[in-house]
Amino acid sequence: MNGKLSGYWSQEDEEKLCEEFQFHFPFGSFKTKIIGLCFYESGNLKSMTLWPGETIILKTNHGLLPVRIGFSLYENGKLKSVEPAYEITVPTSIGELTAFNENTLGINADCNSLVFTEGGNIQALCTSNSNVAIFEKDGSFETMKALVKPDPFEEGVFSLIPLEISFEGHYVKFSSDKTRIYDINTTRFTIINNSGGKPDSGLSCTDCSSCSLCKKNNYI
């Protein structure tokens, strides 16, 4: 900085130089620090990425929503997706599901864990603590839930891979280690929300300090 050598320049040092900006949208007004803005070719705002640790409150069809990392917009300016600051419960066409992805990298806010239609309904989400039992009319049964897998970088550490759920018309799609699509009109769904607790991994904990499943981030 200023042409002088230094040993280390941290994110905290950079944050001291970052200014707060005031923003006004139909879905909320707030003052925050940002990493950057992305625009459509038309010049309309496409997404806003917040500075790490920043949290804002946005208004949705489902009430006020605390948001971290950022949000994206449709080209007409309507809210398209957000990254929830912590686990929340939202209504869907198959019942109430929890939405949160603790593994989100936060590099940009173009794609987020909770996605809305232009009308404001839930179109897709990531969930770590909602297990969905699926009963088809032929009598078959299946449960879809988040996965627990060994961390690819740290031996003995397990990572939680959220279940991805999306809605299209009268169909619902589940994506984890496998992908399944069901007709909502001919299928029965039972949802078990383990909000606030650790998901059912089938594992016995011996060292909580080294297990990523036990680490709960507090963003507000």
Side-chain angles (χ1 to χ4, degrees):
M1 185 177 181
N2 298 325
K4 297 180 180 180
L5 294 176
S6 61
Y8 180 69
W9 186 257
S10 68
Q11 177 178 298
E12 289 71 25
D13 293 321
E14 191 71 24
E15 183 178 5
K16 294 176 183 177
L17 303 179
C18 183
E19 298 181 23
E20 284 190 320
F21 295 93
Q22 186 75 46
F23 297 94
H24 300 281
F25 296 96
F27 46 82
S29 296
F30 50 87
K31 188 176 184 180
T32 187
K33 296 180 179 181
I34 64 171
I35 290 178
L37 305 171
C38 181
F39 297 88
Y40 288 100
E41 290 186 5
S42 63
N44 293 340
L45 183 64
K46 183 177 183 180
S47 68
M48 176 185 294
T49 306
L50 306 178
W51 190 269
E54 292 288 300
T55 301
I56 60 176
I57 302 296
L58 300 183
K59 182 172 63 176
T60 72
N61 285 4
H62 312 290
L64 297 178
L65 183 65
V67 173
R68 64 183 178 119
I69 295 176
F71 60 90
S72 68
L73 305 175
Y74 288 100
E75 194 164 3
N76 60 13
K78 292 186 177 180
L79 196 60
K80 182 177 183 180
S81 70
V82 300
E83 196 61 50
Y86 52 80
E87 188 175 74
I88 61 170
T89 301
V90 294
T92 73
S93 52
I94 64 171
E96 291 194 338
L97 295 164
T98 61
F100 183 64
N101 183 2
E102 66 180 45
N103 300 323
T104 299
L105 296 177
I107 296 175
N108 64 60
D110 291 356
C111 300
N112 300 295
S113 300
L114 184 58
V115 183
F116 304 100
T117 65
E118 290 193 47
N121 296 320
I122 304 298
Q123 180 173 303
L125 58 85
C126 291
T127 180
S128 298
N129 285 312
S130 287
N131 298 343
V132 184
I134 303 162
F135 304 86
E136 295 193 84
K137 61 180 180 180
D138 61 2
S140 60
F141 165 82
E142 186 171 17
T143 298
M144 301 295 292
K145 60 183 180 180
L147 299 177
V148 177
K149 290 186 175 182
D151 190 274
F153 305 108
E154 296 185 63
E155 185 177 354
V157 176
F158 294 87
S159 297
L160 183 65
I161 311 300
L163 172 65
E164 298 179 8
I165 305 175
S166 59
F167 303 90
E168 186 66 40
H170 57 90
Y171 291 96
V172 57
K173 178 181 178 181
F174 298 89
S175 299
S176 57
D177 59 332
K178 54 193 173 185
T179 298
R180 295 284 188 269
I181 299 177
Y182 297 95
D183 187 332
I184 296 174
N185 295 330
T186 59
T187 309
R188 182 166 62 89
F189 303 91
T190 298
I191 299 171
I192 302 175
N193 291 320
N194 300 312
S195 182
K198 188 165 55 180
D200 178 16
S201 64
L203 300 172
S204 59
C205 290
T206 57
D207 183 7
C208 289
S209 63
S210 66
C211 177
S212 61
L213 298 181
C214 294
K215 297 174 183 176
K216 291 294 183 181
N217 295 321
N218 184 15
Y219 296 98
I220 62 170

